[in-house]
Amino acid sequence: MPLSLLAALALGANPAPAPHPFNQQDLVTLRRLSSPRVSPDGRQVAYVLRSTDMEKNRGRTDLWLVNLDGSAPRQLTSHPDGDSDPVWAPDGKSLFFLSSRGGSSQVWRLPVDGGEPLPVTKLPQDVNSFVLSRDGQQLAVALDVRPDCADLACNTQRAAEAEKKKTTGQAYDQLFARHWDTWKDGTRSHLFVVPVAGGTAVDVMKGMDADAPGKPFGGAEEFTFTPDGKGIVFAARDVGRTESWSTDLDLFLAPVDGKTKPRKLTEKNRATDTSPVFSPDGKTLAYVAMSRPGYEADRFRVILRTWPGGQERVLTQDWDRSAGSLAWSKDGATLYTTANDVGQNTVFALDVATGKARSLTQGGSADGAQPAADGQVVYALDDLDSPADLYAMKADGTGTRQLTQVNKDALAGLKFGAFEQFNFPGWNNETVHGYVVKPVDFDPKRQYPLAFLIHGGPQGSFGNHFHYRWNPQVYAGRGYVAVMIDFHGSTGYGQAFTDSIAGDWGGKPLEDLKKGVDAALQKYPFIHKTKRCALGGSYGGYMINWIAGNWADGFQCLVNHDGIFDERAAYYDTEELWFPEWEHKALPWEKPESYEKHNPVNHVAKWKTPMLVIHGGKDYRVVDTQGIATFTALQRRGIPSRFLYFPDENHWVLKPQNSIQWHDEVLGWLDRWTRK
């Protein structure tokens, strides 16, 4: 017996349990770091840490602070209602943040050196997101209001009247009627300016029938104060009845007093313009823009606009990557961004003078890159066997240091599978990349069943990322080899590679997936040749249905999460119509053959593989009847099948207990068909 264990027993302490393979319970309960914000002096970083309350079946968030050298991490808030979205005051002595304490989401302020948080706003509507002016004197807050109301009192009155109504019918004159997981109720997200010291909230979008930030996922990155504090620049899709099939987000400028209507700044571009960020000297506005109307996966180029002059130049015309969030260096000579890059999400430094892009990180998925003191850059980073932590590096990408270890104790008790990237000749012999994650406690002399994960999007990537819904380590912990292929259409390999899937959903990607399995079997002899299952969600779920009829001997079982069964029907019951219109290059009544070309419903007669079908009742992107229809076809054909339905989940499964149930069902299904 080791001396350390003898000493522990002599002291009456319980020895630490042996590490166990990573599982779904661990996935749900690990703490999640997000929203890093560097202080004005660059020497501290505030961030949000999410923990899971299994009893209440929800996540809760708190604010934390760590020094730039990684010392003295400390928790700033601990309210049970949760705190998020930290923003530093200009003097660095306090943090503004969102909190639902008190029963409504409002902006609060907390001294970082000690003291109690105090409310800054007490508005009658929830604050969904906010930004602070450079001088710290004004807030711009996003509120859901009725655009025809003149003030917040009108909104309060209208909401009270709606509560008293005995009828439940909702009438619509144009799309959207519902979006993502929510039925429209006549309100819009509008930006209001309110003094930090208190005063009247002014709607700078009064009468505008548009949302800022955009629904359902837009946040504070879509609006900002002008450097002088006299205006707000924001992104909005103000296109009238074409909203559900238009990607024309524009940048607008509105005065903070709301006395004149917002002025459109990007009139010439009919595609998306968003994420405005001003340079430190206030002379340049940077933002990202697409160039092709109707295409949500077009490349985001970085645009620089002189302020207030308006002259523009494309900074990244020759850089074949799609820029993410933007942050200026202190001297205004560099823009930091992140982009998908050959299976990673990399921090890049963009030279403002030349547009030249330099990669600063080498592996994993980085996010939130921003400048700090002494020329350093702070960012969050995760990879396939590590959840996100904060890191700092020199401006040239050297001298990387880890600042936080938010899951140190939990990770000490876990075992992960080793992973590596591989590539092979895919469609047209073009190089296609993938990842393999080996089983925990891997033995090269054994053979293991295959869990073949197919990503959604389809313009997405299953890269070097610690995913909280589709994490291959859960399968590795169960004794499976997990393989993921970034087929044609995936992001991070150049825009032409991403574009290539349009009009060819079942063509190039299926060939890549077939060749990917063959390449993995040849390269990794420990993968069992016949014990294999394929799993996918969203587009990946569509591909599962397509595989069922077009690769019927490929797998022993299939798992379809929120996948399309009938492409033509899916057009009519989805919400964001620009997506199928671009992907199929036509309207279904004008060119129905484009929707039938790769339509799973036309191949049901060839189905024979057992399938688990999963769907959310609040999924309005791929509606639940698509999953029900899939299950109906399977049952009527006598194919072993199972239907798992979540009435309270949308396109994703988000509730902790539901996530565990999801994994229990999926892993049980894989075990049933591969452990014989």
Side-chain angles (χ1 to χ4, degrees):
M1 186 177 292
L3 289 176
S4 59
L5 181 55
L6 285 171
L9 292 173
L11 293 172
N14 294 321
H20 65 268
F22 183 72
N23 60 40
Q24 57 267 39
Q25 185 78 26
D26 302 312
L27 178 69
V28 168
T29 55
L30 284 175
R31 300 202 288 181
R32 308 181 192 184
L33 182 148
S34 65
S35 306
R37 299 288 184 267
V38 177
S39 62
D41 66 4
R43 300 197 175 280
Q44 293 180 299
V45 188
Y47 57 97
V48 174
L49 201 56
R50 179 190 186 269
S51 57
T52 303
D53 187 331
M54 295 301 293
E55 181 66 27
K56 294 185 178 179
N57 199 25
R58 67 178 181 90
R60 52 153 300 178
T61 54
D62 296 301
L63 304 186
W64 284 66
L65 189 68
V66 66
N67 293 328
L68 185 61
D69 61 5
S71 66
R74 60 188 176 97
Q75 187 171 348
L76 297 177
T77 66
S78 59
H79 197 279
D81 287 335
D83 306 306
S84 64
D85 299 73
V87 174
W88 286 92
D91 61 9
K93 295 181 179 180
S94 61
L95 280 168
F96 293 80
F97 64 98
L98 281 183
S99 180
S100 56
R101 60 183 76 193
S104 173
S105 177
Q106 299 293 327
V107 181
W108 291 65
R109 189 173 189 173
L110 173 70
V112 295
D113 291 332
E116 290 298 315
L118 295 173
V120 179
T121 62
K122 297 180 180 179
L123 298 167
Q125 277 79 31
D126 285 341
V127 177
N128 299 317
S129 55
F130 76 98
V131 297
L132 184 68
S133 61
R134 286 193 175 191
D135 61 7
Q137 300 303 306
Q138 301 178 95
L139 289 169
V141 298
L143 310 176
D144 287 341
V145 297
R146 297 185 181 276
D148 58 340
C149 269
D151 53 31
L152 291 179
C154 165
N155 281 279
T156 301
Q157 180 181 351
R158 296 276 289 276
E161 292 171 352
E163 285 290 324
K164 296 177 181 178
K165 289 177 64 176
K166 302 299 183 182
T167 58
T168 59
Q170 301 179 83
Y172 299 92
D173 294 310
Q174 66 182 47
L175 298 173
F176 294 106
R178 60 184 185 177
H179 198 185
W180 186 250
D181 61 5
T182 305
W183 284 89
K184 293 294 186 176
D185 62 358
T187 64
R188 289 288 197 175
S189 179
H190 274 201
L191 299 177
F192 287 73
V193 173
V194 57
V196 169
T200 302
V202 176
D203 185 353
V204 302
M205 299 170 59
K206 190 177 299 181
M208 199 170 176
D209 191 18
D211 293 308
K215 299 284 182 86
F217 302 121
E221 74 283 352
E222 294 188 6
F223 57 103
T224 186
F225 279 95
T226 57
D228 60 8
K230 295 180 180 180
I232 300 285
V233 176
F234 63 91
R237 184 189 292 111
D238 188 22
V239 293
R241 64 175 296 273
T242 69
E243 183 178 12
S244 71
W245 58 91
S246 170
T247 61
D248 187 15
L249 273 76
D250 283 296
L251 294 184
F252 293 81
L253 172 64
V256 296
D257 60 12
K259 291 184 178 179
T260 59
K261 292 182 178 181
R263 175 170 63 90
K264 189 181 294 187
L265 301 177
T266 53
E267 180 74 42
K268 294 180 181 179
N269 185 27
R270 307 305 296 173
T272 295
D273 305 281
T274 189
S275 302
V277 184
F278 281 99
S279 60
D281 65 7
K283 296 180 179 180
T284 306
L285 174 67
Y287 65 96
V288 296
M290 297 180 178
S291 60
R292 288 176 283 183
Y295 187 22
E296 69 175 20
D298 198 11
R299 177 167 63 102
F300 269 126
R301 302 166 301 151
V302 178
I303 312 295
L304 299 181
R305 180 186 180 102
T306 59
W307 195 262
Q311 293 181 328
E312 292 190 342
R313 67 182 173 102
V314 181
L315 181 65
T316 58
Q317 184 62 47
D318 299 326
W319 183 48
D320 198 11
R321 292 293 182 266
S322 187
S325 60
L326 301 176
W328 289 88
S329 63
K330 299 292 185 182
D331 61 5
T334 303
L335 275 166
Y336 297 107
T337 191
T338 58
N340 281 359
D341 184 43
V342 193
Q344 323 297 327
N345 200 58
T346 302
V347 177
F348 287 91
L350 306 176
D351 183 83
V352 171
T354 66
K356 182 180 178 181
R358 292 182 295 111
S359 58
L360 301 183
T361 57
Q362 303 305 314
S365 292
D367 186 46
Q370 54 200 284
D374 305 322
Q376 298 183 74
V377 179
V378 168
Y379 57 101
L381 182 72
D382 64 80
D383 60 29
L384 277 166
D385 64 4
S386 304
D389 269 301
L390 289 180
Y391 291 78
M393 61 183 169
K394 296 179 181 178
D396 61 1
T398 64
T400 301
R401 296 177 294 103
Q402 186 170 347
L403 305 184
T404 63
Q405 298 183 68
V406 300
N407 286 294
K408 180 180 179 180
D409 293 340
L411 293 176
L414 301 177
K415 292 190 289 185
F416 293 98
F419 66 90
E420 63 181 68
Q421 193 175 32
F422 67 100
N423 62 71
F424 58 92
W427 174 83
N428 200 32
N429 285 321
E430 296 178 5
T431 300
V432 174
H433 291 78
Y435 274 96
V436 60
V437 182
K438 298 176 182 178
V440 172
D441 297 326
F442 173 70
D443 179 354
K445 298 178 181 179
R446 288 185 54 191
Q447 283 201 317
Y448 297 90
L450 171 65
F452 191 60
L453 308 183
I454 304 172
H455 72 67
Q459 296 87 359
S461 172
F462 261 161
N464 191 4
H465 170 50
F466 197 86
H467 205 289
Y468 282 98
R469 292 189 308 278
W470 289 88
N471 193 311
Q473 292 289 356
V474 173
Y475 305 93
R478 188 75 160 220
Y480 289 86
V481 181
V483 171
M484 306 164 290
I485 303 299
D486 271 356
F487 46 81
H488 276 77
S490 301
T491 54
Y493 305 92
Q495 191 60 41
F497 192 89
T498 301
D499 294 346
S500 67
I501 197 172
D504 197 28
W505 272 30
K508 302 180 192 73
L510 181 64
E511 185 172 341
D512 288 343
L513 295 174
K514 287 182 174 181
K515 289 184 174 181
V517 168
D518 290 342
L521 290 173
Q522 182 176 354
K523 184 175 179 64
Y524 305 109
F526 51 83
I527 301 177
H528 201 287
K529 287 182 169 55
T530 60
K531 295 182 178 180
R532 57 200 203 195
C533 288
L535 312 81
S538 195
Y539 171 83
Y542 156 87
M543 179 53 70
I544 292 299
N545 281 342
W546 186 244
I547 284 172
N550 293 275
W551 190 8
D553 59 349
F555 300 94
Q556 279 60 57
C557 70
L558 302 169
V559 178
N560 169 0
H561 176 96
D562 289 3
I564 290 175
F565 174 72
D566 185 341
E567 282 288 1
R568 288 184 70 187
Y571 174 87
Y572 292 103
D573 57 28
T574 193
E575 13 84 290
E576 293 181 350
L577 297 178
W578 62 77
F579 177 72
E581 289 178 13
W582 179 275
E583 293 302 308
H584 300 298
K585 300 299 183 184
L587 296 167
W589 55 87
E590 293 179 349
K591 193 176 179 182
E593 62 271 21
S594 65
Y595 288 77
E596 300 296 354
K597 179 181 178 182
H598 293 133
N599 195 350
V601 73
N602 295 329
H603 300 268
V604 170
K606 295 179 284 184
W607 286 16
K608 64 181 182 181
T609 308
M611 187 189 300
L612 170 64
V613 183
I614 308 171
H615 225 102
K618 297 181 71 176
D619 184 355
Y620 306 148
R621 181 65 41 88
V622 179
V623 299
D624 57 3
T625 50
Q626 295 283 328
I628 294 168
T630 302
F631 184 57
T632 298
L634 291 160
Q635 287 282 300
R636 189 63 181 86
R637 284 189 46 76
I639 299 170
S641 50
R642 185 172 173 86
F643 183 46
L644 175 62
Y645 183 69
F646 292 101
D648 55 346
E649 298 285 5
N650 55 34
H651 201 53
W652 303 329
V653 175
L654 301 177
K655 293 181 173 62
Q657 298 285 5
N658 285 348
S659 179
I660 290 174
Q661 183 186 10
W662 187 98
H663 283 91
D664 286 344
E665 290 277 357
V666 169
L667 292 169
W669 188 254
L670 268 61
D671 289 348
R672 174 179 172 182
W673 298 102
T674 65
R675 302 293 188 181
K676 297 178 180 179

